[in-house]
Amino acid sequence: ATASEDKDLVIIGGGVAGYVAAIKAGQEGMKVTCIEKRGTLGGTCLNVGCIPSKSLLNNSHLYHQILHDTKNRGIEVGDVKLNLANFMKAKDTAVTGLTKGVEFLLKKNGVEYLKGEGSFVSENEIKVALNDGGETTVRGKNILIATGSEATPFPGLEIDEKRVVTSTGALSLEKIPESMVVIGGGIIGLEMASVWSRLGTKVTVVEFLGQIGGPGMDNEIAKSAQKLLKKQGIEFKLNTKVVSGDASGEKIKLDVDSAKGGKPESLDAEVVLVAIGRRPYTGNLGLETIGMELDERGRVIIDSEYRTKIPHIRCVGDATFGPMLAHKAEEEAVAVVEYIKKGYGHVNYGCIPSVMYTYPEVAWVGQTEQDLKAQNIPYRVGTFPFSANSRAKTNLDTEGLVKMIADPETDRLLGVHIIGPNAGEMIAEGTLALEYGASTEDIARTCHAHPTLAEAFKEAAMATHAKAIHF
Ligand code: FAD
Ligand code: NAD
């Protein structure tokens, strides 16, 4: 390419961050190239993350419910069997449909899509090693690093994605293992533990901290989630650290230490899932060629407008700061294009929801009680249990609660924490309320349809500044 053919924006990575930025920039009339090496668009989320995991979670829940939760509903079922190959096929169909859909959207918005690995040759020039062989070069007035993240490996245990797996292997096991140890009780660990435990695997989750759920989950909700997951058959070892592993035998052996000084123990399992977090991925990108800075955790250092120290090179998504969530990447992708094109953009980092898609779901937005306590900020709490909600009772699905946290003086909503049926959808209402600066009285005075689970949300708001009606 020659300088006259410079693109307005060259994006490295076609994950949620990259493809959303590409579409948005196309819509803004910019000339865009998006480089992705995977062979399909959508990144971790669509290919080996959010989407396939939710397919397995949804269908394993259905299977588990048919096995264990029909009789009391007056439904008698005969011989129920799981066909693992078809169960996986349903997941693959969802993934393919969505990744192809993204490819169509790039085309529709005039984005050039290059299948290959991109690396910096200079501050404006990206070399692309094409998947089909050969090489090309693209030049960009602006460049966006959207290369995402990868699973953090566990030292001494080599990942083969068959016996020692990351989430990627855990999404595609070819047979149901008898036993599985999950290292790390964060969101990946608990979602995957749920899937395989529902299909019949004996699952043990080993978590270093004293609570499950990873960073950000409210203590009270995390305890309640652990109790409900334990009831489903998942075993937990908290305050326990996996110190070493040995995969040379028929079973994988793990040595664990109590973080509180108890006696060391050893566990064995047919499959071990390493789910101890993810780290930014910037391998083979040639960052050293342009003198780009990473922080001590490998994140690309950016300013509040996503600029690196080379101002026309920006970075969004998992490769930089903030929670590693698809919807956070998507918000940033839109904002970064707006910064480039118009000079302004907006992401409210205090208002990014989190959802754990276990059963029941756990969802939250805003501050936790532990955050507020640590900052010495006064707050008021109101809760409403699903056991007092008419729809939850009708559905025979009454585990969990809605918890709201508000400013005791102004009544402004500070946080919402839900464990219960449909929590992942219900949190959208909490997110909107928080984004608009609602008080809990505003929520309580908003008419909610009856009978719905959302009435529990309204009643939790009532309980925060006054009293709930039904509890
Ligand atoms: P990625 O999706 O990782 O995309 C980066 C892309 O860049 C990749 O496709 C990679 O191949 C490509 N790339 C990297 N380097 C180069 C290069 N040099 N040249 C060309 N291409 C390159 N988040 C949620 O919000 N909800 C969920 O339910 C959820 N579930 C998850 C489940 C699992 C099992 C996992 C692992 C993650 C999950 N996440 C979820 C997190 C979510 O997947 C990420 O936050 C999201 O994918 C980040 O988007 P990204 O575009 O920044 O990075
Ligand atoms: P995480 O950081 O959420 O949890 C990792 C857990 O492993 C932590 O609780 C940590 O204390 C524990 N741990 C670390 N080392 C350990 C050791 N040696 N022994 C025992 N425990 C150890 O990370 P994750 O669950 O791997 O998820 C990675 C990212 O993917 C997260 O940012 C998450 O938000 C994202 N994700 C999101 C969703 C969702 O939104 N539903 C689903 C999956 C993944």
Side-chain angles (χ1 to χ4, degrees), residues 28 53 57 65 113 133 156 162 167 171 192 194 197 270 310 326 335 340 342 348 352 382 413 419:
E28 293 290 342
S53 62
L57 279 157
Q65 189 170 26
Y113 166 29
K162 298 246 179 271
S167 50
L171 290 167
M192 290 297 106
S194 294
S197 152
E270 197 180 325
I310 304 165
I340 293 169
K342 304 171 183 171
N348 180 356
I352 293 174
L413 186 66
I419 175 166

Side-chain angles (χ1 to χ4, degrees), residues 279-290:
R279 61 184 187 191
Y281 177 77
T282 50
N284 298 339
L285 200 52
L287 289 185
E288 53 301 331
T289 316
I290 53 168

